[in-house]
Amino acid sequence: MVGIGGLGCPAAIVLARAGVGTIGIVDDDVVDVTNLHRQILFRDKDIGSPKSPAASHALGAFAPRVRVEAYETRFLPANSMDLAARYDLVVECSDNLETKFLAADVARALHKPIVHGAAMGWYGTALAVGALGKPCYRCLFEDLPDNVPNSAEVGVVGPMVGVVGAAQADLALGMLAGKSVHGTLFTLDAKSLAIRRRRIFPRSSCALCGITQIT
C-alpha cells in the first residue's frame, strides 16, 4: 500500500478482511482532524499519530491473522525498489502525481502488478496494470504535467474515495487470484453516481512499456 489516506484506508480494510497474508503500508504522514471524514481507519485518538502504525493497529482489530508491516517513510526513488520488491502486488493510493509515476515505473521494472487509484473533487479513477506492464500508467499519462492541483488544494468527497478504494481492492484481489482484470480504466462521477469502464490499449511509443522498451 503506497499511501494510507482516503483511498488506502478502505482498500486496506477490504484486503485485510479478504485474508491477504501480509500487507505493507508506506506513508510518512500523521493523522490530522481534517482526515477523519474520509480516512476511515482513524479515530479522534489517532490525531497527531503517524498514519502507518495507526493503520496497522486498526487493521489488527479487523483481521488479527493478517500480518501488517508499517513503514513510516515516503515512497521515494531511494527506497521504492526495495519496498516494492518485498510484495506480490502494489496498491498505489498516493495523493500526488510524482509518487504515482514513480510507483508505475518501479512496478514495471520489477514486473509487479499494480493498481492505481486517484480521487479529486467529485471524480475518481482506478486502473490495474498487469505484471508485464501493458497497458501502463504512462500509456494514459505520458509524463508529469505542469501546474496540476493536488487533492489537498481541490478537496475530496469522502464517500467517493471509499468507492474508489474498494474498487482498487477488488482489482487487486482479482489479479492476486490470476484473473485478467488489467487494462480497463474505471471512472466514478460522484455527482451523478455514474461508473464507467473504458478499455485502454498500449501505446507503441510509450516511454515505459512501448515496443522500444525491454520486456
Side-chain angles (χ1 to χ4, degrees), residues 38-49:
R38 67 187 184 280
Q39 299 182 17
I40 56 177
L41 278 173
F42 307 124
R43 301 291 182 266
D44 286 353
K45 64 180 179 60
D46 297 315
I47 294 173
S49 301

Side-chain angles (χ1 to χ4, degrees), residues 81 84 90 100-114 116 129-139 202 206-215:
M81 292 286 283
V90 178
K100 293 181 183 299
F101 279 99
L102 174 61
D105 295 349
V106 167
R108 169 67 177 173
L110 295 174
H111 295 287
K112 301 279 186 180
I114 181 170
H116 293 280
V129 178
L132 297 180
K134 293 184 178 183
C136 73
Y137 192 75
R138 288 185 182 270
C139 288
C206 178
L208 186 57
C209 73
I211 57 175
T212 60
Q213 305 304 310
I214 297 174
T215 59

Side-chain angles (χ1 to χ4, degrees), residues 107-168:
R108 169 67 177 173
L110 295 174
H111 295 287
K112 301 279 186 180
I114 181 170
V115 181
H116 293 280
M120 190 174 296
W122 291 87
Y123 302 97
T125 62
L127 171 69
V129 178
L132 297 180
K134 293 184 178 183
C136 73
Y137 192 75
R138 288 185 182 270
C139 288
L140 279 175
F141 311 103
E142 294 185 42
D143 209 340
L144 281 167
D146 296 325
N147 302 318
V148 174
N150 58 36
S151 58
E153 297 168 324
V154 176
V156 180
V157 177
M160 188 267 293
V161 293
V163 175
V164 176
Q168 285 186 267

Side-chain angles (χ1 to χ4, degrees), residues 15-16 24 31 41 43 63 67 77 82 107 159 178 208:
L15 292 173
V31 180
L41 278 173
R43 301 291 182 266
R67 179 178 179 180
D82 176 63
L208 186 57

Side-chain angles (χ1 to χ4, degrees), residues 1-10 12-13 25-27 39 41-42 51-52 55-56 59 93-94:
M1 306 289 306
V2 179
I4 194 71
L7 298 174
C9 284
I13 291 173
I25 298 173
V26 183
D27 198 307
Q39 299 182 17
L41 278 173
F42 307 124
K51 285 185 178 180
S52 292
S56 176
L59 288 172
C93 300
S94 65

